[in-house]
Amino acid sequence: MNTQQPNPNDPLAAAWTQQKGSLAMPGNNVGLGRSIAEAHRDDQRRLIWLNIREVAPALAAAVVFGVVAPTAERPAAMFAAAVLFLFVGLYLVTHSIRHHRGDRAWGSSVRDQMQRRLNQLHHRARLYQTTPVWYFLPAIAGMGLALYGFGIEHAGSSGIVFAAIFAVTVGGSIYKAHREGQIYRDEIERLAPILADFDRVE
């Protein structure tokens, strides 16, 4: 079976072959563009799933806390908890929609596909890097306010157990978010020099 060899005068091929590490130049630019497009589509699906997995529970918590607030021991704390969880859900949705709209503006050339993928990686890396601000801090504060609103001091040992489980869950989520963000940062470090070399030799 014959395989098409890359053109040695192709600037993209020249940029690609200068790179070290796990990346390997496909047989042609079409193959490169296809592999980048597939990685891009996979991450788009992951972002959709992330929104489903995180937004639905956040909005559900906001609704529940808002509904029970009038009958809670401390209604103001419950309403504040509902607002914080609503913020978490809306933040992720609005940033995902904004990124998706900007993502659709790129062309179909290999160079544009590389730049689109790099922008996508930067978006994901920033999303995970800033989780302490937009996700964990509001969620922890919101849950603390909800427990206070319910009157956790009257819950006894069950309240302590719930708080401990929540703390362990948050700790594991923080660790996972850091690992996910590092994966995107590592790919940025591999792809950014390739795109820069491509622009330089083009």
Side-chain angles (χ1 to χ4, degrees), residues 115-153:
Q115 184 64 66
R116 183 177 71 164
R117 174 61 176 159
L118 189 59
N119 284 10
Q120 182 187 53
L121 293 171
H122 278 293
H123 173 262
R124 302 301 191 272
R126 284 193 301 269
L127 192 66
Y128 282 102
Q129 186 177 8
T130 57
T131 50
V133 176
W134 69 265
Y135 185 82
F136 292 112
L137 183 60
I140 292 171
M143 185 57 68
L145 285 168
L147 294 175
Y148 177 70
F150 277 123
I152 190 174
E153 67 274 12

Side-chain angles (χ1 to χ4, degrees), residues 89-185:
L90 292 180
Y91 182 94
L92 182 56
V93 167
T94 55
H95 273 253
S96 299
I97 292 174
R98 187 179 304 147
H99 169 73
H100 180 68
R101 287 176 177 172
D103 190 74
R104 297 172 62 183
W106 293 101
S108 58
S109 68
V110 173
R111 199 259 177 235
D112 276 1
Q113 294 300 306
M114 291 179 69
Q115 184 64 66
R116 183 177 71 164
R117 174 61 176 159
L118 189 59
N119 284 10
Q120 182 187 53
L121 293 171
H122 278 293
H123 173 262
R124 302 301 191 272
R126 284 193 301 269
L127 192 66
Y128 282 102
Q129 186 177 8
T130 57
T131 50
V133 176
W134 69 265
Y135 185 82
F136 292 112
L137 183 60
I140 292 171
M143 185 57 68
L145 285 168
L147 294 175
Y148 177 70
F150 277 123
I152 190 174
E153 67 274 12
H154 305 308
S157 59
S158 61
I160 296 174
V161 170
F162 179 83
I165 294 174
F166 180 72
V168 171
T169 302
V170 168
S173 298
I174 291 174
Y175 175 73
K176 182 178 180 181
H178 175 75
R179 288 190 60 187
E180 291 286 341
Q182 188 60 52
I183 291 173
Y184 289 112
R185 289 190 292 271

